[in-house]
Amino acid sequence: MTVMTYREALRSAMTEEMERDESVVVMGEDIGVYGGTHLVTDGMLERFGPKRVIDTPIAEGGFTGAAIGMAMMGMRPIVEMMTWNFSFQAVDQIIQNAAKLRYFSGGQVSVPLVIRGPNGGGVQLSAQHTHSLEGFYGHFPGLKVVSPVTPHDVKGMMLTAIRDPNPVIFLEAGALYGTKGEVPEGEELVPFGEARIAREGTDVTLIGYGRQVNMLLRVADKLEREAESISAEVVDLRSIRPFDERTIVESVRKTNRAVVVQEQWRWYSVASEVAAILQEQAFDDLDAPVERVSGAEVPAPYARNLEIEAFPSEQQIVDAVHRVLYRKG
Amino acid sequence: MSTTKGQSRSRKASSQDDGPVAERSRTAREAAAASNNGAETMPLDTEKILELYKKMNVIRLFEDAAQRGFRTGKVGGYLHLYSGQEAVATGLLEYFQDTDKVITAYRDHAHALLLGSHPTEVMAEIYGKGTGLVKGKGGSMHLFDVENGLWGGYGIVGGHIPLGVGMAYALRYQGTDGIVQLYFGDGAIHNGAFHEAANLAGLWGRDGMNPTLFILENNNYGMGTSVERATAMTDLSAKFDSYGIEHEDVDGMDLFAVLDVAKRAVQRVRETGKPYAIEAMTYRIAPHGAADFLERYRTKEEIAEWRKRDPIGLVEARLLESGVSDETLDGIKADAKAIVDEAVRFAEESPDPPLDELYTDVYADTVDTE
Ligand SMILES: Cc1ncc(C[n+]2csc(CCOP(=O)(O)OP(=O)(O)O)c2C)c(N)n1
Ligand SMILES: [Mg+2]
């Protein structure tokens, strides 16, 4: 094990794969000469040269489409979205081409493509620069969607993503690029479609992914310290599509209660899907309706106080836990 | 050495060298050659020049103050400063009239100030206060002051360009004589949104239905990427040719040159209902946002070189030449500082937006169908 930051874990996965496989290239805005606006690709141009570390103009639709074309020919491009907010300009390419090519070519063509970049809000970037797109991209068959939170998982899932023969939407926790954690040396792939029990517990299951997992862990500690101590299990979904139904169902069989937390909007979201899966598969085990804690149903505001109000808070989660346990706050 | 405009003017220079980024970038002197200095043709009285000089000083000091706010943690999000580019909007908006509309990207503080938004409310917005221009909801990137003609303030590169073209259609459709001043950058011109919108503007302009004045603010960089590294066709305004839109270049550091072009261009668009484009060669002396790794994409020497042609300094030189005293200029600077100090005080003392404000303005009120 070595300790590295989330950012370094990403870079080391991409670097190792580029060394192993010549067909892997990275492309995006300011990723080469500038080193990446979030420094994820820093030093890669010097190492691999401009044919494999490709700086692009501000043309997300064009370069994402071009990356799909490269992938169709057997290359394995990794596209950096400077932030996922800009991916809307490439959505036609991602959904109309990348997600469906395999299907409408009757299996003749595959698109081994990774699109990665920071996702989510929290630093006052306001309406056009604040989105959590798990549910949005998770909606489309043909795409794989992941949202890892630890440096360990970000490295292992990036390795898996690059080797996957399908388009992978790799949603990074932008706020956590500087956080450190243990990462295994060498190849240790983290498979898609397997959730992770981030903390064991017996009274309630807290379910989330990405940045929210850290908040859930803090809340779980808090609940433990309450007068009538509550033991919370925390499930980190990691993979949005494919989705690990078994882990959440098994956890709820044990705890009989669930709270799902997400930064994204509630309507048509991951939390809604989780709640539906639990009522279908664990109905008899549930002692309370599944609670969803989500972002406020508004475009993201700028002012600090409004932004804090718009996102799930620890207090909201604690309140939801008390509700599913029929306890007073 | 190849340069943005130099390359198009003398094409032979374009291919041979492949030197470091800074060497390939356009120099301040060459930008000056972009237009036949309007100073000769522009009879402006001193009063007028002093007024514009003051506006430019307010913008610069305002940006410095916003930057301090950011550095001290009072301003959040992204912050894009207009420092170095003052002559462009100051010159062009001098010919703004009531029926006109302005739309721009996220580097929008100057446009608001020039259109008459109160500096206190602009600064309060940047501070995220309830007294801000858009109630603290948008921040620096999303300034709107519709009453004064400012229709935003957009954060997605290129995303606002089609809006401007549609607004121009509407102005003609509604029978006004207004035009749209549509500002965008050298990075944005490579975005598909620009090309689709410019084509529409050219097409609709044939029938006099598109009074859009495209203002391409070429500061030679889209974040850390120079024009040369973003396109093989570095004469950016030539891209308008493909859409049947006439255009000209101007030295965007020279207020008098901008004024000269602006007067003609605004009048022409107003009269014909056809789009027209101005490429202003300018430079941001500030980082891209509140901070960037500047030496990764340009040199300190390059910035120093451009600072010699600081747009405010050029106006100042002209004023001194025409006999205005140092004391007069100092007085104006002091006035500008007082305006900005007051804006900062107001922003700092203003309350946060009330929390209910989070849920307002998501939808416009629906009409009663009874
Ligand atoms: C679609 C999109 N991609 C990327 C970005 C990130 N970004 C913000 S500003 C910018 C550079 C734009 O350059 P230019 O158009 O020249 O304007 P300038 O900043 O120089 O005023 C980039 C890449 C964005 N906001 N939108
Ligand atoms: Mg630019």
Side-chain angles (χ1 to χ4, degrees):
Chain A
M1 289 278 177
T2 42
V3 172
M4 56 173 87
T5 61
Y6 193 100
R7 171 188 290 119
E8 288 162 349
L10 276 167
R11 192 189 304 138
S12 94
M14 292 191 286
T15 304
E16 283 170 26
E17 287 303 284
M18 286 179 78
E19 263 157 15
R20 196 186 58 79
D21 180 354
E22 228 178 49
S23 63
V24 181
V25 299
V26 294
M27 58 195 282
E29 292 158 19
D30 278 330
I31 63 161
V33 172
Y34 195 72
T37 12
H38 306 279
L39 293 179
V40 172
T41 52
D42 198 18
M44 290 177 70
L45 173 66
E46 291 72 14
R47 189 148 175 175
F48 296 107
K51 263 195 188 159
R52 299 188 70 193
V53 178
I54 306 165
D55 272 321
T56 65
I58 309 165
E60 283 80 0
F63 68 73
T64 305
I68 296 169
M70 293 176 190
M72 290 164 68
M73 300 297 290
M75 289 176 67
R76 289 181 176 268
I78 305 170
V79 169
E80 172 172 305
M81 283 292 157
M82 189 180 281
T83 76
W84 274 99
N85 306 293
F86 312 139
S87 74
F88 292 114
Q89 294 213 340
V91 145
D92 179 62
Q93 292 298 332
I94 297 171
I95 288 163
Q96 292 287 30
N97 288 330
K100 305 170 180 171
L101 259 158
R102 178 78 182 164
Y103 195 79
F104 66 61
S105 70
Q108 293 184 52
V109 175
S110 63
V111 182
L113 167 72
V114 180
I115 310 178
R116 54 151 292 270
N119 169 60
V123 283
Q124 283 188 270
L125 297 182
S126 70
Q128 290 191 309
H129 283 79
T130 306
H131 295 92
S132 294
L133 298 177
E134 306 79 25
F136 177 78
Y137 283 113
H139 186 63
F140 296 97
L143 296 179
K144 295 192 177 181
V145 183
V146 297
S147 180
V149 61
T150 63
H152 174 282
D153 287 348
V154 89
K155 171 146 189 209
M157 294 182 94
M158 180 52 80
L159 293 173
T160 305
I162 296 169
R163 295 187 194 187
D164 200 293
N166 297 289
V168 177
I169 303 295
F170 201 95
L171 304 167
E172 296 159 10
L176 303 183
Y177 280 136
T179 56
K180 290 186 176 163
E182 293 206 325
V183 174
E185 319 230 13
E187 288 189 16
E188 195 174 302
L189 279 70
V190 174
F192 292 172
E194 282 184 23
R196 170 181 76 103
I197 308 285
R199 182 192 204 275
E200 295 206 31
T202 52
D203 298 333
V204 60
T205 302
L206 306 180
I207 302 168
Y209 52 85
R211 189 162 77 103
Q212 259 60 48
V213 173
N214 292 345
M215 181 154 57
L216 295 182
L217 290 169
R218 285 197 299 275
V219 169
D221 285 344
K222 221 186 235 178
L223 292 168
E224 182 111 68
R225 291 194 301 270
E226 280 190 5
E228 275 181 85
S229 177
I230 297 169
S231 162
E233 178 144 302
V234 175
V235 177
D236 171 8
L237 293 173
R238 303 198 287 198
S239 181
I240 305 300
R241 188 181 191 118
F243 189 90
D244 179 0
E245 304 185 11
R246 213 178 65 195
T247 299
I248 56 167
V249 169
E250 276 171 9
S251 176
V252 168
R253 292 231 159 97
K254 181 171 69 170
T255 63
N256 311 111
R257 294 168 161 91
V259 173
V260 199
V261 181
Q262 60 185 7
E263 194 177 288
Q264 66 174 294
W265 298 297
R266 194 187 74 188
W267 285 86
Y268 317 113
S269 65
V270 172
S272 303
E273 197 56 40
V274 169
I277 290 166
L278 290 176
Q279 73 85 22
E280 280 165 3
Q281 299 184 35
F283 189 74
D284 291 336
D285 299 288
L286 282 169
D287 286 344
V290 177
E291 283 272 347
R292 290 172 290 169
V293 179
S294 309
E297 295 292 322
V298 300
Y302 167 67
R304 187 77 192 125
N305 66 326
L306 298 186
E307 183 178 58
I308 290 169
E309 184 74 4
F311 284 153
S313 65
E314 294 185 18
Q315 191 54 48
Q316 281 174 323
I317 301 167
V318 169
D319 291 346
V321 168
H322 287 158
R323 281 195 300 274
V324 298
L325 282 155
Y326 303 106
R327 288 205 196 167
K328 293 222 174 76
Chain B
M1 181 166 51
S2 64
T3 66
T4 307
K5 279 295 145 179
Q7 195 167 26
S8 58
R9 296 284 134 74
S10 55
R11 247 161 240 282
K12 62 183 177 335
S14 67
S15 59
Q16 95 260 22
D17 76 34
D18 204 17
V21 179
E23 243 179 66
R24 275 182 287 150
S25 61
R26 180 168 45 93
T27 65
R29 194 162 29 80
E30 281 156 341
S35 65
N36 54 337
N37 198 339
E40 263 60 68
T41 53
M42 193 70 208
L44 273 183
D45 63 50
T46 306
E47 276 311 297
K48 187 72 194 169
I49 303 175
L50 286 172
E51 180 196 316
L52 298 177
Y53 175 72
K54 179 172 171 185
K55 287 182 179 177
M56 291 167 80
N57 272 288
V58 169
I59 296 168
R60 180 69 59 87
L61 294 172
F62 185 96
E63 299 295 52
D64 290 347
Q67 177 81 313
R68 278 195 298 279
F70 190 91
R71 296 213 165 121
T72 52
K74 294 170 187 163
V75 170
Y78 290 150
L79 182 74
H80 306 88
L81 307 179
Y82 202 62
S83 311
Q85 302 183 202
E86 292 90 346
V88 182
T90 304
L92 274 144
L93 291 176
E94 181 59 19
Y95 296 99
F96 174 90
Q97 72 173 45
D98 281 352
T99 46
D100 293 350
K101 312 291 171 206
V102 173
I103 186 166
T104 185
Y106 41 80
R107 204 177 292 288
D108 56 356
H109 306 170
H111 302 80
L113 295 170
L114 288 162
L115 285 168
S117 303
H118 207 286
T120 55
E121 291 178 17
V122 181
M123 192 62 87
E125 186 57 40
I126 293 168
Y127 271 67
K129 297 300 181 74
T131 51
L133 213 50
V134 300
K135 308 182 232 176
K137 284 178 157 164
S140 159
M141 292 190 287
H142 301 300
L143 299 178
F144 277 74
D145 187 348
V146 163
E147 211 168 296
N148 279 315
L150 180 60
W151 288 70
Y154 297 80
I156 301 303
V157 170
H160 67 293
I161 300 174
L163 308 187
V165 170
M167 287 165 62
Y169 187 95
L171 286 175
R172 278 299 139 116
Y173 187 82
Q174 292 162 349
T176 80
D177 68 344
I179 73 164
V180 173
Q181 287 200 15
L182 197 172
Y183 292 80
F184 64 105
D186 53 279
I189 201 164
H190 307 305
N191 192 278
F194 165 78
H195 294 274
E196 297 184 22
N199 187 54
L200 286 174
L203 186 65
W204 292 342
R206 282 199 314 214
D207 307 321
M209 287 300 283
N210 214 265
T212 304
L213 179 56
F214 289 90
I215 298 142
L216 165 54
E217 297 193 76
N218 182 350
N219 60 14
N220 203 39
Y221 295 99
M223 228 170 223
T225 302
S226 64
V227 169
E228 288 75 12
R229 294 182 47 244
T231 183
M233 176 52 179
T234 55
D235 181 358
L236 298 185
S237 56
K239 296 181 197 279
F240 285 99
D241 288 333
S242 359
Y243 305 114
I245 298 172
E246 289 182 51
H247 55 87
E248 69 188 283
D249 302 334
V250 66
D251 173 6
M253 304 308 265
D254 179 349
L255 175 70
F256 305 104
V258 176
L259 284 165
D260 185 43
V261 171
K263 186 176 185 187
R264 281 185 286 105
V266 164
Q267 190 183 356
R268 167 192 178 127
V269 172
R270 201 181 303 290
E271 280 170 9
T272 61
K274 286 187 198 310
Y276 189 69
I278 296 171
E279 180 179 358
M281 315 306 281
T282 182
Y283 197 77
R284 74 173 150 70
I285 55 179
H288 166 75
D292 68 9
F293 311 117
L294 81 93
E295 298 221 60
R296 287 187 178 211
Y297 68 93
R298 57 181 182 173
T299 61
K300 286 201 166 130
E301 291 71 41
E302 181 186 305
I303 300 174
E305 190 60 30
W306 278 90
R307 275 184 186 276
K308 289 184 197 152
R309 297 200 69 247
D310 185 302
I312 298 179
L314 292 185
V315 178
E316 197 165 292
R318 170 83 173 271
L319 284 166
L320 289 170
E321 224 170 80
S322 67
V324 175
S325 69
D326 278 324
E327 292 75 54
T328 306
L329 297 184
D330 289 347
I332 289 175
K333 282 185 179 155
D335 289 349
K337 182 171 180 304
I339 290 170
V340 172
D341 287 348
E342 167 60 11
V344 171
R345 189 196 58 74
F346 178 85
E348 294 197 340
E349 289 172 6
S350 287
D352 286 338
L355 290 182
D356 315 347
E357 204 56 79
L358 180 61
Y359 295 98
T360 63
D361 303 320
V362 179
Y363 295 98
D365 297 336
T366 39
V367 279
D368 198 348
T369 47
E370 293 294 292

XYZ file of all heavy atoms in Angstrom, chain B residues 48 57 71 83-84 91 108 122 124 172 174-175 177 205 216 223 249 356:
130
model
N -15.349 64.538 -22.774
C -15.779 63.176 -23.091
C -14.676 62.168 -22.750
O -14.933 61.124 -22.159
C -16.091 63.102 -24.597
C -16.703 61.803 -25.020
C -18.089 61.771 -24.511
C -18.876 60.571 -24.483
N -20.105 60.677 -23.721
N -11.135 53.633 -15.216
C -10.502 53.523 -13.896
C -11.410 52.832 -12.888
O -10.940 52.051 -12.067
C -10.096 54.914 -13.385
C -8.710 55.301 -13.856
O -7.714 54.761 -13.384
N -8.659 56.201 -14.828
N -9.446 36.858 -2.541
C -8.259 36.390 -1.801
C -8.499 36.326 -0.303
O -7.862 35.550 0.396
C -7.056 37.296 -2.102
C -6.667 37.213 -3.565
C -5.166 37.361 -3.795
N -4.850 36.921 -5.150
C -4.279 37.680 -6.080
N -3.931 38.918 -5.786
N -4.040 37.192 -7.276
N -9.630 43.183 -16.388
C -8.456 44.062 -16.380
C -7.598 43.876 -17.628
O -7.190 42.756 -17.931
C -7.613 43.788 -15.135
O -8.445 43.790 -13.998
N -7.360 44.976 -18.315
C -6.581 44.942 -19.550
C -7.466 45.068 -20.778
O -7.014 45.472 -21.843
N -15.415 51.423 -25.196
C -15.596 52.050 -26.507
C -16.895 51.633 -27.163
O -17.645 52.463 -27.680
N -17.979 39.575 -17.049
C -19.074 40.501 -17.327
C -19.189 41.716 -16.411
O -20.113 42.517 -16.577
C -20.402 39.717 -17.285
C -20.621 38.980 -15.952
O -19.715 39.007 -15.090
O -21.697 38.387 -15.783
N -23.493 45.542 -8.060
C -22.640 44.588 -8.771
C -21.692 43.922 -7.765
O -21.545 42.701 -7.727
C -21.846 45.272 -9.906
C -20.987 44.250 -10.638
C -22.790 45.964 -10.878
N -22.108 43.686 -4.564
C -22.887 42.866 -3.624
C -23.206 41.502 -4.244
O -23.213 40.478 -3.561
C -24.168 43.591 -3.230
N -35.948 42.928 -34.304
C -36.508 43.341 -35.596
C -37.965 42.918 -35.722
O -38.816 43.663 -36.179
C -35.691 42.748 -36.750
C -34.463 43.550 -37.064
C -34.819 44.964 -37.484
N -33.898 45.922 -36.890
C -33.079 46.690 -37.593
N -33.070 46.638 -38.896
N -32.286 47.545 -36.978
N -40.068 42.628 -33.500
C -40.911 43.498 -32.687
C -40.881 44.948 -33.162
O -41.451 45.827 -32.521
C -40.468 43.396 -31.213
C -40.785 42.019 -30.628
C -40.005 41.699 -29.361
O -39.067 42.409 -29.006
N -40.387 40.619 -28.691
N -40.191 45.180 -34.258
C -40.231 46.494 -34.896
C -39.415 47.579 -34.214
O -39.686 48.759 -34.398
N -35.627 49.570 -33.318
C -34.377 49.850 -34.039
C -33.179 49.381 -33.212
O -32.055 49.788 -33.459
C -34.259 51.349 -34.341
C -34.065 52.171 -33.077
O -34.328 51.642 -31.962
O -33.646 53.343 -33.188
N -29.840 37.744 -41.623
C -29.422 39.101 -41.947
C -29.700 39.461 -43.393
O -29.885 40.633 -43.736
N -15.813 39.999 -30.959
C -14.889 38.926 -30.598
C -13.741 39.551 -29.821
O -12.943 40.306 -30.375
C -14.401 38.250 -31.887
C -13.174 37.350 -31.824
C -13.321 36.263 -30.763
C -12.927 36.722 -33.184
N -8.421 30.337 -21.460
C -7.776 29.768 -20.287
C -6.272 29.644 -20.559
O -5.628 30.646 -20.818
C -8.411 28.426 -19.938
C -8.749 28.312 -18.469
S -9.740 26.860 -18.171
C -10.924 27.559 -17.071
N -11.058 44.368 -37.954
C -10.268 44.219 -36.741
C -10.033 45.583 -36.117
O -10.027 46.591 -36.816
C -8.901 43.621 -37.057
C -9.010 42.282 -37.743
O -10.036 41.605 -37.541
O -8.069 41.929 -38.476
N -35.538 31.899 2.200
C -36.702 31.626 1.315
C -36.342 31.876 -0.131
O -36.977 31.351 -1.051
C -37.880 32.569 1.555
C -38.189 32.760 3.005
O -37.658 31.975 3.799
O -38.949 33.688 3.321
